[in-house]
Amino acid sequence: MSVSDKEKDEIEKSSAPLMEHLIELRRRLIWSLGGFFVAFLVCFFFAKKLFNLLVVPFKWATKWAGLDPHKVELIYTAPQEFFFTQVKLAMFGGMVIAFPLIATQIYKFIAPGLYKNERNAFLPFLIASPILFLMGASLVYFFFTPMVMWFFLAMQQAGTDDQVQISLLPKVSEYLSLIMTLIFSFGLVFQLPVVTSLMTRVGMLSSKALAEKRKWAIVIAFIVAAVLTPPDPMSQIGLAIPTILLYEVSIWAARWIERDQEKQRLAREKQEAGETVADKAPDEPPTPAAS
């Protein structure tokens, strides 16, 4: 069977009536929403414990500033503020926990419409994406949040005869918004190698183009960091530097993909050349029967 015949068979297998696609889409949406709802309920039940876990970097920053970490205090100024903060935290946690399930359902929905080699190419990125997001979130939790809070704590002012006392008393909603913004920003930036690798694999990008745009990428990294992070230089530089490093990783990954595609192309041409020679070879003469 020729290559074109195989492609036709895959197209026929992947084609389905519109109603079947809609039924399949509904099934995947039910699984995704159900997974998110269950994760949301679990996170809301443990919302206070999760919030206390998110306050740990604030305690580290307090210790760095030479203050008592046991006296960390957050406030809320509206009766319903902490409740909606817990709802917001549960939604964020539910989305993070349910993301592997949601991504799997998306992959299962689009996989029948892809060729086998496209499915094999897409699957590693499906695994790499949540891993890279967790790496970015871990960097925020263990390093950048304590550093940012230490920067803000350093602005406090002790009360004396000549100056008024100024203390940092963050609101629960504002602290959660800060750490969620940092986690989302770093998690999004850490997807850069995945996005560029996919675009390279489909031919929309090349390692040469990425290398030529390196200077522009550095400028854009600092602009994006200024938009996504709080208005302090430490968090902006802290996001820009990993972005630039990830851009270099993206160039390396693009080169690796291009080399792999070139090897596959040469192997394919060699195989096709061998098949052509075999088709053109004359038939062997019949072996004479034994007397």
Side-chain angles (χ1 to χ4, degrees):
M1 183 181 292
S2 65
V3 177
S4 59
D5 291 336
K6 290 182 179 179
E7 291 179 352
K8 289 180 181 178
D9 289 342
E10 288 191 10
I11 293 174
E12 290 177 358
K13 290 179 182 178
S14 62
S15 62
L18 177 61
M19 187 57 65
E20 292 184 13
H21 282 299
L22 293 176
I23 294 173
E24 180 69 12
L25 177 61
R26 184 185 64 178
R27 183 185 303 115
R28 300 306 173 191
L29 286 174
I30 291 174
W31 273 101
S32 300
L33 293 175
F36 169 74
F37 185 69
V38 171
F40 169 80
L41 291 178
V42 173
C43 290
F44 185 76
F45 182 78
F46 295 102
K48 288 186 178 180
K49 292 184 178 180
L50 290 175
F51 192 86
N52 289 328
L53 186 64
L54 293 178
V55 175
V56 172
F58 188 14
K59 292 183 178 180
W60 293 341
T62 304
K63 190 175 182 180
W64 293 356
L67 304 173
D68 187 2
H70 299 289
K71 293 184 179 180
V72 171
E73 183 179 0
L74 285 82
I75 63 172
Y76 60 96
T77 57
Q80 74 280 7
E81 181 180 348
F82 189 46
F83 171 77
F84 286 112
T85 300
Q86 294 180 71
V87 172
K88 190 177 180 180
L89 175 59
M91 291 180 65
F92 183 76
M95 182 59 67
V96 171
I97 294 174
F99 176 78
L101 174 64
I102 296 173
T104 302
Q105 296 304 315
I106 294 174
Y107 173 76
K108 288 184 177 180
F109 178 72
I110 65 175
L114 302 174
Y115 294 128
K116 184 178 180 181
N117 60 335
E118 292 174 336
R119 291 194 294 267
N120 295 335
F122 188 79
L123 190 58
F125 298 107
L126 188 65
I127 299 173
S129 183
I131 294 176
L132 289 172
F133 184 88
L134 289 177
M135 289 175 61
S138 299
L139 191 63
V140 169
Y141 185 85
F142 292 103
F143 182 69
F144 282 102
T145 299
M147 184 179 66
V148 169
M149 295 309 299
W150 171 78
F151 176 82
F152 292 145
L153 284 169
M155 297 181 179
Q156 292 186 125
Q157 179 175 282
T160 62
D161 295 336
D162 300 329
Q163 59 187 18
V164 68
Q165 180 173 347
I166 301 176
S167 301
L168 175 63
L169 290 176
K171 296 170 63 177
V172 291
S173 57
E174 293 175 350
Y175 178 79
L176 180 64
S177 296
L178 171 64
I179 196 168
M180 283 175 55
T181 300
L182 288 173
I183 290 175
F184 178 77
S185 302
F186 277 78
L188 189 65
V189 166
F190 268 64
Q191 304 303 311
L192 182 61
V194 174
V195 176
T196 54
S197 298
L198 281 172
M199 294 178 71
T200 302
R201 191 171 287 276
V202 299
M204 297 177 62
L205 274 180
S206 65
S207 59
K208 183 179 179 181
L210 289 172
E212 290 175 350
K213 300 297 189 295
R214 183 182 281 110
K215 294 181 180 179
W216 288 102
I218 294 174
V219 175
I220 294 173
F222 279 95
I223 294 175
V224 171
V227 173
L228 294 179
T229 59
D232 67 278
M234 299 186 70
S235 59
Q236 292 174 6
I237 295 173
L239 179 58
I241 291 176
T243 305
I244 296 170
L245 294 176
L246 288 168
Y247 189 83
E248 296 297 327
V249 172
S250 300
I251 296 175
W252 175 84
R255 288 172 180 167
W256 182 83
I257 291 172
E258 288 171 349
R259 286 197 297 266
D260 184 63
Q261 289 178 337
E262 182 66 17
K263 289 180 181 179
Q264 292 179 3
R265 185 184 66 82
L266 293 175
R268 211 165 36 243
E269 290 179 354
K270 185 177 180 181
Q271 182 180 2
E272 290 175 357
E275 291 176 354
T276 303
V277 171
D279 292 339
K280 291 181 179 181
D283 295 335
E284 295 183 1
T287 304
S291 57

